[in-house]
Amino acid sequence: MSGDGGGTGNTAYGRKAFRRSTAHFTDRITADGRDGWPVEAGRYRLVVSRACPWASRAVISRRLLGLEDALSLAIADPLQDDRSWRFTLDPDGRDPVLGIRYLSEAYDRRETGYPGGVSVPAIVDVPSGKLVTNDYQRITLDFATEWTALHRDGAPDLYPQALRDEIDEVTAEVYEDVNNGVYRAGFATGQEEYEAACAAVFRRLELLARRLERQRYLVGDTITEADIRLFTTLVRFDAVYHGHFKCNRWKLTENRVLWGYVRDLYQTPGFGDTVDFDHIKRHYYQVHTGINPTGVVPLGPDLSGWLTPHHREELGGRPFGDGTPPGPVRAGEEVPARGRP
């Protein structure tokens, strides 16, 4: 998630339609180390912002799979300056493991003078201090398939082999119309461009609601990568996309199926306990000055509904399949009270 466009990877907007560039650093951390980066406990650090939906995918996946002991976590300030994501939440404004003030320093160690945006999620090699990857589309898939030797006992299969084609198809549609669609609407600079993007968002949400009316999860009867990717947009919908990005045909709370679905996930260990509504709201409303030049952060919406009964268990399904829920949130990684319902 880069400051100019509010998303992972480079973004561009202005007189032309919003577009999201692909990740520039696409090395993979794999079991066999074929790109030069072998899976190794304690070697890497995951840098995220709790404000960013793309980074939140990695935070949720890491927690569900139990990779906390193997892969440390750095949480950036939700507000950036022109030098990129900063570690002002840490003592002395430095990440305690990497020793840097700005994520851009890890990018510079990888490629001096890199002209693109500095984005999260990012995985940094601790010994060298170099960025390894900012490939937000691939990171969570590799967590699920390449990091298996370091998964916790009872970790769910988030990308089951038999369902991968269907997961890929669903996530591609969700990405185009929902994950990225809200940004196309929010950063539109023309009426027609905005209306087309906004219409596509709600058209896809309505199709998803029909699908989820008869099944608890998007693909199969357990939580998969598809649910993680949809959740990170839905959980931000009423707080920022409805007002800030003008995706306001209706609120998520007004759609019985989607509101029940996202509450079900929010109340599932590994999802809601990673969400910081304070970081989310402050980032979008204070960083996107082109959309909200005053920087005023709204008081609402009311968050108390997130903890109300959803009754989705009536549809069956097994959240973790043959596995088990993750344990308590790791000490030091808890979401502060001001960011929770």
Side-chain angles (χ1 to χ4, degrees):
M1 186 168 189
S2 52
D4 57 352
T8 302
N10 303 328
T11 53
Y13 56 91
R15 294 190 178 276
K16 295 183 179 181
F18 171 88
R19 69 183 187 276
R20 187 179 306 284
S21 301
T22 56
H24 180 74
F25 300 99
T26 57
D27 286 6
R28 293 174 60 188
I29 300 171
T30 57
D32 63 6
R34 56 187 176 272
D35 284 358
W37 307 104
V39 170
E40 185 179 328
R43 176 170 175 177
Y44 306 101
R45 189 155 174 82
L46 174 64
V47 181
V48 303
S49 164
R50 291 198 192 275
C52 174
W54 319 91
S56 292
R57 296 176 178 182
V59 177
I60 293 169
S61 179
R62 170 181 175 269
R63 175 136 164 69
L64 293 177
L65 297 172
L67 291 172
E68 293 98 330
D69 289 338
L71 177 67
S72 64
L73 182 69
I75 301 173
D77 192 307
L79 304 183
Q80 304 141 287
D81 61 26
D82 57 4
R83 289 165 291 186
S84 83
W85 295 102
R86 53 191 186 170
F87 297 105
T88 48
L89 302 180
D90 295 303
D92 301 321
R94 289 186 182 274
D95 179 82
V97 173
L98 300 174
I100 57 178
R101 293 186 181 275
Y102 297 91
L103 178 56
S104 59
E105 296 174 56
Y107 276 68
D108 289 341
R109 288 175 185 171
R110 171 67 185 272
E111 183 178 316
T112 303
Y114 164 61
V118 175
S119 63
V120 289
I123 299 182
V124 179
D125 177 50
V126 174
S128 67
K130 293 180 180 179
L131 176 77
V132 176
T133 179
N134 66 347
D135 191 350
Y136 64 101
Q137 297 282 43
R138 189 71 233 178
I139 286 173
T140 51
L141 297 180
D142 283 345
F143 282 174
T145 59
E146 297 288 340
W147 290 65
T148 53
L150 299 177
H151 286 182
R152 65 177 175 88
D153 291 339
D157 187 351
L158 298 176
Y159 196 46
Q161 184 72 50
L163 298 176
R164 287 182 188 178
D165 288 347
E166 186 177 358
I167 291 171
D168 291 347
E169 180 181 357
V170 170
T171 56
E173 294 169 345
V174 167
Y175 172 84
E176 180 65 26
D177 294 336
V178 181
N179 299 149
N180 204 40
V182 293
Y183 285 88
R184 289 202 311 274
F187 287 108
T189 56
Q191 189 67 33
E192 290 185 5
E193 176 193 345
Y194 158 71
E195 289 186 7
C198 188
V201 168
F202 285 94
R203 183 168 56 247
R204 181 61 57 190
L205 289 178
E206 288 163 359
L207 290 171
L208 290 167
R210 289 178 207 165
R211 181 186 187 98
L212 289 165
E213 191 166 24
R214 60 182 186 269
Q215 61 191 64
R216 190 171 179 183
Y217 303 111
L218 277 175
V219 181
D221 67 348
T222 65
I223 291 167
T224 68
E225 176 77 15
D227 298 294
I228 295 173
R229 295 191 181 198
L230 180 57
F231 172 81
T232 57
T233 296
L234 294 187
V235 78
R236 290 163 173 76
F237 202 88
D238 288 4
V240 290
Y241 301 143
H242 180 272
H244 185 59
F245 278 178
K246 306 180 184 70
C247 293
N248 62 357
R249 289 184 60 184
W250 38 264
K251 294 179 180 178
L252 202 67
T253 53
E254 295 168 354
N255 185 291
R256 177 185 60 83
V257 175
L258 294 180
W259 178 226
Y261 167 77
V262 75
R263 275 182 296 151
D264 185 6
L265 290 176
Y266 184 88
Q267 294 171 31
T268 299
F271 283 84
D273 53 31
T274 70
V275 175
D276 190 326
F277 285 106
D278 173 63
H279 278 206
I280 289 167
K281 288 170 56 178
R282 287 198 290 126
H283 173 82
Y284 280 89
Y285 283 102
Q286 293 186 302
V287 170
H288 299 160
T289 54
I291 299 175
N292 187 41
T294 65
V296 172
V297 180
L299 293 175
D302 179 10
L303 300 178
S304 60
W306 284 99
L307 301 178
T308 59
H310 51 76
H311 305 296
R312 293 283 295 178
E313 65 277 0
E314 296 172 7
L315 293 172
R318 302 173 302 146
F320 301 100
D322 294 329
T324 58
V329 176
R330 187 182 181 89
E333 295 183 4
E334 304 92 343
V335 174
R338 65 181 177 274
R340 295 184 273 114

